[in-house]
């Protein structure tokens, strides 16, 4: 074995020994590896520096960019660093406490941290992120809890200390917090502190969220104490929760409901009046099947598969033979294309039921996991994926490449998916149903792979239910599409995605009008 290989193997063995027992195995502090071991791991792509004395362990073959591994491990690093630096003597600011408490796991450009001693400085980190440390012994929080291993203010204290600007700019976070908080504890804190201004928007928020009894009690008690309270709605007149409040809901599910409520207006405004009538079944299915080559090429290429029209046509015509043709057996892209064909056909069957009168929400709830299983059927047949891996939702962490949004922990995925399908069920506007259904399927990322393809299938099934054509997101718009998805999941802004998809609705007929020869020429090169 060459010397460099022996050095790498030795360094990896030391790293593995650390990771086998570490609570956050990808966050490596100084003292675990020697300088020589770190150097060989950095050269091989297994390690990168976060800051002086801290490194990030990653697999060089797993992530396409440096940001993916960092965003997935941002909060574990913050937890380890703050614990080592300050023990328990720190707390996130009210704003950042609220974000974590309401399941906003988007990686912020800067985290603000209070400590109970006199100091102020900034810690620069990877990917233009940082930690701002500032001392405030007099106002150090009295009521703290741990979330994601990080000390934060408890919800009642955070809500009474958050800035007015934050309240105005972050309706989903405030709505989630007001639904999740212990309302008696918050009422007592408002009374003890005489927070009449805050009580005004808390009462108005509770009333808007359907918690009218709690709002009335807060106002009565504040008035009894001699406080003048001006009630106001902190969300705006159009913010109406689609589902009633239910106790003991996970913050992740509550946040999805609040985000859906705040985002639907942009979708409805962009799409305007929906089609007057539903699609005619036979015509829709025939037209959509004619678009398969276009759809498969673009959808698979967006996900990073190297697909040509020749490969798609080979699969469509049944000429792909992995058992007897070595090239087909080795082609990952062909497996993806064949799986896409299986899934596409399953989606067509679901849409046929919807256009025959089946409830769209009930149909996609029942069938979305079947589409996913069909997508990976060729991989199961080749013994590359276990059949049991296709059952249910993911049971481990997953990341979205280059996205600051970190999907919910797998323990919360079933409740989040149930929340999503309930929202689809109660949403009356077909465009909002389709666009936001896609957004939040990606937001949750319920499976280990295939989320983008399945999410677009879900979107198109719901578009079809509303009388819209099958929508193709073209590969040449990939960057714009991913940026728009990021704006939706990270900033709660659905307008960029709505504009893009509305454009593609208008362009749908062009795909049906191209003869097969033109399709072959258009997609004859690899993306």
């Amino acid at each position: 074995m060459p010397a460099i290989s022996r050095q790498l193997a030795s360094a990896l063995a030391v790293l593995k020994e650390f990771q086998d027992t570490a609570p956050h195995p990808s966050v490596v502090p100084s003292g675990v590896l020697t300088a020589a071991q770190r150097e060989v791991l950095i050269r091989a792509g297994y390690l990168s520096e976060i800051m002086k004395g801290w490194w990030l362990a990653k697999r060089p073959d797993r992530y396409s960019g440096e940001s993916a591994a960092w965003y997935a491990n941002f909060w574990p690093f913050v937890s380890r660093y703050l614990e080592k630096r300050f023990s328990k003597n720190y707390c996130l600011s009210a704003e950042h406490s609220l974000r974590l408490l309401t399941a906003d796991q988007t990686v912020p450009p800067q985290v603000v941290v209070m400590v109970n001693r006199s100091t102020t400085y900034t810690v620069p980190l990877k990917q233009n992120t940082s930690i701002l440390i500032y001392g405030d012994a007099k106002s150090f929080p009295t009521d703290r809890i741990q979330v994601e291993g990080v000390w934060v203010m408890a919800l009642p204290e955070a809500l009474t200390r958050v800035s007015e600007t934050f309240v105005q700019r972050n309706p989903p976070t405030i709505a989630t917090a007001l639904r999740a908080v212990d309302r008696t504890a918050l009422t007592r804190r408002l009374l003890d502190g005489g927070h009449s201004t805050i009580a005004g928007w808390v009462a108005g928020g509770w009333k808007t969220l359907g918690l009218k009894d709690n709002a009335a009690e807060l106002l009565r008690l504040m008035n009894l104490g001699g406080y003048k309270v001006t009630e106001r709605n902190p969300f705006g007149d159009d913010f109406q929760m689609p589902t009633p409040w239910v106790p003991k809901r996970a913050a992740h599910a509550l946040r999805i409901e609040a985000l859906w409520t705040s985002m639907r207006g942009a979708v409805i405004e962009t799409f305007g009046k929906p089609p007057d009538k539903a699609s005619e079944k036979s015509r829709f299915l025939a037209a959509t099947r004619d678009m398969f080559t276009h759809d498969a090429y673009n959808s698979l290429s967006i996900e990073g598969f190297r697909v040509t029209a020749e490969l798609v046509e080979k699969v469509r015509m049944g000429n792909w033979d992995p058992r007897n043709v070595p090239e087909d057996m080795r082609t990952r892209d062909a497996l993806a294309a064949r799986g896409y064909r299986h899934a596409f056909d399953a989606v067509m069957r679901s849409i046929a039921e919807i256009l025959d009168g089946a409830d769209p929400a009930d149909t996609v709830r029942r069938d979305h996991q079947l589409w996913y299983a069909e997508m990976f059927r060729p991989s199961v047949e080749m013994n590359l994926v276990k059949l049991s891996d296709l059952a249910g939702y993911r049971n481990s962490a997953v990341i979205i490449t280059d996205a600051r949004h970190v999907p919910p922990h797998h323990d919360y995925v079933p409740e989040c998916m149930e929340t999503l399908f309930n929202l689809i069920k109660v949403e009356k506007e077909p465009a909002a149903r389709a666009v936001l259904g896609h957004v939040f399927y990606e937001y949750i990322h319920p499976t280990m792979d295939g989320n983008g393809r399945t999410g677009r299938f879900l979107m198109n099934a719901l578009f079809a239910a509303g009388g819209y054509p099958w929508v193709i997101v073209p590969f040449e718009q990939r960057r714009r599409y991913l940026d728009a998805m990021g704006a939706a999941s990270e900033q709660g802004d659905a307008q960029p995605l709505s504009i893009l998809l509305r454009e593609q609705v208008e362009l749908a007929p062009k795909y049906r009008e191209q003869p097969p020869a033109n399709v072959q020429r258009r997609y004859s090169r690899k993306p």
Side-chain angles (χ1 to χ4, degrees):
M1 180 186 294
I4 187 65
S5 297
R6 288 197 301 271
Q7 293 169 5
L8 178 58
S10 175
L12 285 171
V14 174
L15 180 60
K16 180 182 182 301
E17 184 178 358
F18 162 77
Q19 292 184 319
D20 285 344
T21 57
H24 302 301
S26 293
V27 179
V28 184
S30 60
V32 174
L33 300 161
T34 66
Q37 289 168 338
R38 289 197 301 269
E39 183 61 30
V40 72
L41 289 172
I42 289 171
R43 284 202 307 268
Y46 287 94
L47 206 66
S48 64
E49 188 177 41
I50 299 173
M51 59 174 288
K52 185 177 180 180
W54 294 87
W55 289 266
L56 179 68
K58 58 192 181 70
R59 281 178 49 183
D61 62 331
R62 188 170 182 184
Y63 303 125
S64 62
E66 184 74 13
S67 61
W70 171 234
Y71 293 151
N73 288 283
F74 177 83
W75 287 112
F77 165 75
V78 170
S79 169
R80 287 295 311 279
Y81 172 77
L82 293 176
E83 178 186 25
K84 189 171 183 179
R85 185 76 177 81
F86 302 108
S87 185
K88 299 179 180 180
N89 301 313
Y90 74 89
C91 184
L92 297 196
S93 68
E95 288 79 5
H96 287 290
S97 292
L98 278 179
R99 290 190 184 280
L100 275 190
L101 289 163
T102 60
D104 180 358
Q105 294 181 280
T106 299
V107 174
Q110 185 176 73
V111 175
V112 180
V113 179
M114 303 173 62
V115 295
N116 59 357
R117 64 193 193 204
S118 180
T119 186
T120 301
Y121 60 94
T122 300
V123 181
L125 303 172
K126 296 171 70 68
Q127 299 295 318
N128 296 316
T129 56
S130 63
I131 303 175
L132 172 62
I133 310 289
Y134 78 97
D136 193 349
K138 291 183 179 180
S139 300
F140 195 74
T142 57
D143 190 7
R144 296 179 300 149
I145 61 173
Q146 274 192 307
V147 177
E148 304 284 344
V150 180
W151 285 101
V152 301
M153 298 179 195
L155 262 179
E157 181 158 0
L159 282 167
T160 56
R161 296 179 61 155
V162 72
S163 70
E164 179 68 21
T165 300
F166 184 89
V167 173
Q168 294 174 357
R169 292 180 178 177
N170 296 275
T173 296
I174 297 302
T176 303
L178 289 179
R179 295 178 86 196
V181 71
D182 180 328
R183 288 180 293 286
T184 298
L186 178 55
T187 298
R188 287 173 176 167
R189 190 170 188 89
L190 292 169
L191 291 166
D192 289 342
H195 299 296
S196 56
T197 301
I198 298 171
W201 63 255
V202 169
W206 276 342
K207 184 176 290 187
T208 302
L209 296 171
L211 301 169
K212 296 181 180 179
D213 290 345
N214 298 105
E217 181 187 22
L218 172 60
L219 293 174
R220 281 197 303 268
L221 291 173
M222 293 296 292
N223 289 332
L224 186 63
Y227 299 108
K228 184 178 180 180
V229 177
T230 302
E231 180 186 332
R232 69 177 182 85
N233 179 358
F235 309 124
D237 295 336
D238 295 333
F239 192 97
Q240 297 293 328
M241 294 301 297
T243 57
W245 180 83
V246 178
K248 297 183 179 179
R249 299 277 305 285
H252 293 80
L254 295 176
R255 184 170 193 84
I256 288 170
E257 290 181 344
L259 284 168
W260 183 293
T261 301
S262 68
M263 293 163 68
R264 64 187 298 274
V267 182
I268 296 167
E269 181 180 358
T270 301
F271 274 78
K273 184 181 177 182
D276 293 329
K277 59 181 180 179
S279 303
E280 195 277 319
K281 184 178 79 169
S282 59
R283 184 177 301 173
F284 177 91
L285 295 177
T288 302
R289 288 192 175 105
D290 287 344
M291 296 163 61
F292 172 75
T293 299
H294 292 285
D295 184 65
Y297 170 84
N298 285 286
S299 189
L300 289 166
S301 296
I302 281 175
E303 300 303 321
F305 294 99
R306 298 299 186 182
V307 181
T308 63
E310 289 83 357
L311 173 58
V312 174
E313 281 299 299
K314 187 176 184 180
V315 168
R316 186 176 72 85
M317 299 301 294
N319 295 327
W320 180 69
D321 186 4
R323 299 189 183 279
N324 299 307
V325 180
E327 182 181 354
D328 287 353
M329 187 181 301
R330 292 191 299 266
T331 303
R332 165 181 172 266
D333 301 331
L335 288 171
R338 183 60 178 169
Y340 196 87
R341 175 82 241 189
H342 289 317
F344 181 89
D345 289 342
V347 175
M348 290 298 100
R349 292 191 292 272
S350 300
I351 291 176
E353 290 189 32
I354 291 171
L355 296 181
D356 276 336
D359 183 89
D362 293 342
T363 303
V364 298
R365 183 198 299 262
R366 181 197 68 199
D367 291 351
H368 71 286
Q369 288 178 299
L370 170 64
W371 307 339
Y372 169 69
E374 289 288 351
M375 192 181 301
F376 289 94
R377 193 213 302 182
S379 297
V380 172
E381 292 171 347
M382 297 297 295
N383 295 318
L384 298 174
V385 173
K386 292 192 300 182
L387 183 60
S388 59
D389 289 343
L390 304 182
Y393 299 123
R394 59 181 167 89
N395 57 8
S396 60
V398 68
I399 66 166
I400 305 174
T401 302
D402 296 330
R404 286 181 177 268
H405 168 67
V406 179
H409 188 278
H410 56 85
D411 287 345
Y412 299 112
V413 168
E415 184 177 352
C416 288
M417 291 301 291
E418 185 67 19
T419 298
L420 171 59
F421 289 119
N422 287 342
L423 288 165
I424 292 172
K425 180 82 170 179
V426 301
E427 177 59 64
K428 303 303 181 185
E429 293 291 334
R433 220 167 35 206
V435 175
L436 297 183
H438 178 29
V439 166
F440 287 103
Y441 192 93
E442 304 304 313
Y443 181 97
I444 299 166
H445 243 57
T447 56
M448 291 304 297
D449 197 4
N451 291 283
R453 285 161 280 169
T454 307
R456 288 187 289 277
F457 282 145
L458 175 73
M459 174 187 75
N460 271 307
L462 295 172
F463 266 141
Y468 293 97
W470 186 275
V471 173
I472 293 174
V473 179
F475 174 69
E476 56 264 29
Q477 296 275 8
R478 181 178 187 270
R479 186 69 265 164
R480 181 184 172 196
Y481 168 66
L482 295 179
D483 288 345
M485 290 295 289
S489 61
E490 297 165 19
Q491 303 163 30
D493 182 4
Q495 188 174 46
L497 182 64
S498 300
I499 293 172
L500 172 61
L501 294 176
R502 179 62 188 169
E503 290 172 1
Q504 300 314 310
V505 167
E506 299 298 328
L507 292 173
K510 78 171 185 177
Y511 293 104
R512 298 195 296 270
E513 294 165 359
Q514 291 191 35
N518 289 356
V519 176
Q520 290 286 339
R521 283 196 297 272
R522 178 174 181 177
Y523 301 135
S524 61
R525 61 179 180 83
K526 293 182 179 181

